[in-house]
Amino acid sequence: MSLSGNDGRDGFTSKFGILCATAGSAIGLGNIWRFPYVVGENGGGAFLLVYLGFILLLGIPVMLSELVIGRRGQRNTFGAFRKLAPGKPWWIIGVMGIAAAFMILAFYSTIAGWTLEYIVKSFANAFQGQSSESLAEMFREFHTGIFWPLFWQVIFMIMTAWIILAGVKKGIEKYAKILMPFLVGLLLIMAIRSITLPGAMGGLQFLFKPDFSELTAGVFLAALGQAFFSLSIGMGAIITYGSYISKGNNLTTIAAEVSIADTLIAILAGVAIFPAVFAFNLDPAEGPGLIFHVLPSIFQQMPGGYFFAVIFFVLLAIAAVTSSISILEVVVAFVVEELKISRRKATIMSATAALFVGVFCTLSFSSLGNVNIGGLTIFGVLDFTASNILLPLGGLLIVIFVGWVMMAADVKDELSNAGALKIRLYSAFNFIIKFIAPVAIAIIFLNSIGILKI
Ligand code: PFF
């Protein structure tokens, strides 16, 4: 599978390649790093319920809408809107998506860099015999430093750019096939270890027993942002991948399968993490460092923990890279197709620009830690603006576009592969993207900025 050739539009070679690439985009740090800490900050079970509702009601329809736009448009996200709605300003969705891609790539590379450091730490057996306090201290010392977090961030960005440049060859298809199930297997083993720790019950209750008094407007917005981030939707990554999908593939199945896999993996990560958080008396609401304290503590308590730790962090880094390439590809496809710059130059320029923003993000955990923008650090601003504002806003406009602007016949044509497939759920899909999704997203927005009070 090659994401894109040098000049002509290349495409995915097999149904399996598409699933791997799309699931590879969705499954990443969002599931294993972001999901647990956002659940932790937003009170647990009630958040999870709202999150699941959003995946089903908004996430899958938005993903399907992106696939439809991408395959119909056969272009990057900006170009697809210009082609499908010539002379109208819908390309703004593309511009917003490119802005979101830069912001996400900036902080994604910070966190992925932390993962690379933890590969080295686990190789060096650094967690052995450490108390959970000293593991917390180890993380604090590392991520508030300057050199190593920046070093790993640069390495991660080079890895991402290199894969985009090389094109994602058959090898990755093969590896993904083995590695993703491996990651799931490992998470399962860790979940079992975590649940069987003394004091673990509190964690399961936290995750699965909803306390509805926790639900505020902010929790709804956080759940919406997390759902969009985790599924890679709202900024055109799936539009871009959709444009590489050939006409014979069933878009509905892809959207459903990828969303289900992504959600199951996030829940599994939650089951691996929260019981341990409670068993080790850690704070579920401690924020972005959560997994970097908890996971080493779990490995320490496992027979063969050394190997599990090494394998786990390697797999996490691979999961991160298969996501980050989809983020960079949004920008690169735009630059190549619209600005007519070679793929090589486009990749180097885009990665360098994202890295530039990323450096500020990484330093917001150390020397720029006192920069405060509306109560948030630089990391916080990038994450909040991209995940909670730009992605849902992009999703809102995307469903309006497919529901109200595209011709119903064209949408049906994409969903049914020109009539070859029966589309049973069309009226439900159409109703959701026309009415339910736009209204729901608008209400959550208005509610969270206080204009509407529900
Ligand atoms: N979905 C990815 C994750 O969960 O790690 C992150 C991501 C990829 C977000 C692509 C947005 C995107 F367009």
Side-chain angles (χ1 to χ4, degrees):
M1 164 182 74
S2 161
L3 283 183
S4 181
N6 284 332
D7 14 71
R9 289 189 63 81
D10 215 340
F12 293 129
T13 49
S14 66
K15 156 117 205 288
F16 186 72
I18 297 160
L19 268 185
C20 281
T22 317
S25 168
I27 298 162
L29 295 173
N31 306 62
I32 292 161
W33 158 74
R34 199 176 189 279
F35 176 78
Y37 99 73
V38 175
V39 172
E41 284 181 341
N42 288 283
F47 174 95
L48 179 62
L49 265 188
V50 175
Y51 175 79
L52 293 177
F54 285 170
I55 293 280
L56 206 68
L57 203 68
L58 307 175
I60 299 179
V62 173
M63 185 180 285
L64 190 51
S65 302
E66 286 204 27
L67 288 170
V68 165
I69 296 171
R71 196 169 64 176
R72 195 81 190 165
Q74 288 294 306
R75 290 269 190 295
N76 66 86
T77 169
F78 174 90
F81 286 106
R82 276 230 311 214
K83 180 166 163 196
L84 297 177
K88 308 245 174 62
W90 289 96
W91 47 264
I92 287 176
I93 305 174
V95 176
M96 278 170 44
I98 290 160
F102 270 114
M103 292 183 195
I104 295 178
L105 201 55
F107 74 80
Y108 210 80
S109 56
T110 302
I111 312 299
W114 296 357
T115 308
L116 296 181
E117 165 78 14
Y118 270 65
I119 295 179
V120 175
K121 282 200 190 323
S122 38
F123 256 117
N125 209 2
F127 312 137
Q128 192 59 43
Q130 306 272 359
S131 65
S132 68
E133 291 77 40
S134 53
L135 288 170
E137 178 54 24
M138 180 188 288
F139 174 68
R140 199 196 59 73
E141 210 172 279
F142 158 68
H143 89 296
T144 57
I146 294 182
F147 179 78
W148 288 108
L150 285 178
F151 174 80
W152 290 121
Q153 177 173 40
V154 173
I155 298 288
F156 181 79
M157 198 64 96
I158 292 175
M159 283 163 53
T160 304
W162 184 74
I163 295 181
I164 286 283
L165 266 184
V168 184
K169 297 263 157 51
K170 272 243 160 2
I172 292 248
E173 267 184 55
K174 264 193 228 138
Y175 286 126
K177 184 174 165 185
I178 306 164
L179 291 174
M180 286 297 139
F182 222 131
L183 183 68
V184 175
L186 208 55
L187 270 175
L188 257 177
I189 297 173
M190 289 160 64
I192 293 169
R193 172 67 276 209
S194 187
I195 301 174
T196 51
L197 288 166
M201 261 321 275
L204 288 180
Q205 280 179 358
F206 178 79
L207 184 59
F208 292 120
K209 210 168 145 211
D211 170 1
F212 292 107
S213 67
E214 295 277 349
L215 288 182
T216 60
V219 170
F220 277 90
L221 186 67
L224 188 68
Q226 176 58 28
F228 276 59
F229 185 88
S230 192
L231 293 180
S232 303
I233 54 178
M235 58 165 250
I238 304 295
I239 294 180
T240 310
Y241 275 19
S243 75
Y244 303 134
I245 296 178
S246 62
K247 293 286 175 194
N249 289 287
N250 185 339
L251 299 182
T252 313
T253 335
I254 296 172
E257 285 175 5
V258 169
S259 304
I260 291 169
D262 185 72
T263 306
L264 289 179
I265 291 185
I267 295 176
L268 195 54
V271 175
I273 284 163
F274 287 108
V277 168
F278 281 71
F280 299 128
N281 257 326
L282 300 168
D283 175 12
E286 71 150 78
L290 184 65
I291 67 160
F292 295 93
H293 298 167
V294 181
L295 295 175
S297 309
I298 303 177
F299 293 127
Q300 262 233 77
Q301 304 276 331
M302 285 168 75
Y306 174 80
F307 294 101
F308 284 125
V310 173
I311 299 170
F312 179 83
F313 282 112
V314 169
L315 292 176
L316 185 58
I318 293 172
V321 115
T322 57
S323 299
S324 65
I325 56 174
S326 73
I327 309 174
L328 186 57
E329 181 67 18
V330 168
V331 184
V332 170
F334 162 76
V335 175
V336 170
E337 291 176 6
E338 305 300 320
L339 309 179
K340 308 276 181 264
I341 291 176
S342 77
R343 191 165 173 83
R344 194 184 155 74
K345 270 204 195 124
T347 306
I348 295 171
M349 274 168 37
S350 316
T352 310
L355 190 58
F356 180 76
V357 187
V359 166
F360 290 93
C361 176
T362 297
L363 294 180
S364 74
F365 292 95
S366 55
S367 48
L368 298 178
N370 49 7
V371 177
N372 180 319
I373 308 160
L376 295 171
T377 61
I378 298 171
F379 162 79
V381 170
L382 289 171
D383 182 25
F384 184 85
T385 314
S387 314
N388 292 4
I389 310 285
L390 289 177
L391 297 188
L393 204 57
L396 172 73
L397 295 173
I398 284 165
V399 286
I400 291 179
F401 186 81
V402 176
W404 297 95
V405 179
M406 280 179 76
M407 305 245 284
D410 290 350
V411 176
K412 277 190 187 158
D413 193 65
E414 283 304 325
L415 292 175
S416 69
N417 292 349
L421 300 169
K422 269 219 186 80
I423 37 170
R424 275 181 244 108
L425 292 173
Y426 177 75
S427 32
F429 169 70
N430 195 37
F431 187 69
I432 291 178
I433 60 165
K434 266 193 143 111
F435 302 103
I436 300 199
V439 171
I441 298 173
I443 290 179
I444 296 162
F445 267 134
L446 297 178
N447 203 23
S448 68
I449 44 178
I451 293 182
L452 198 81
K453 276 270 162 277
I454 295 187

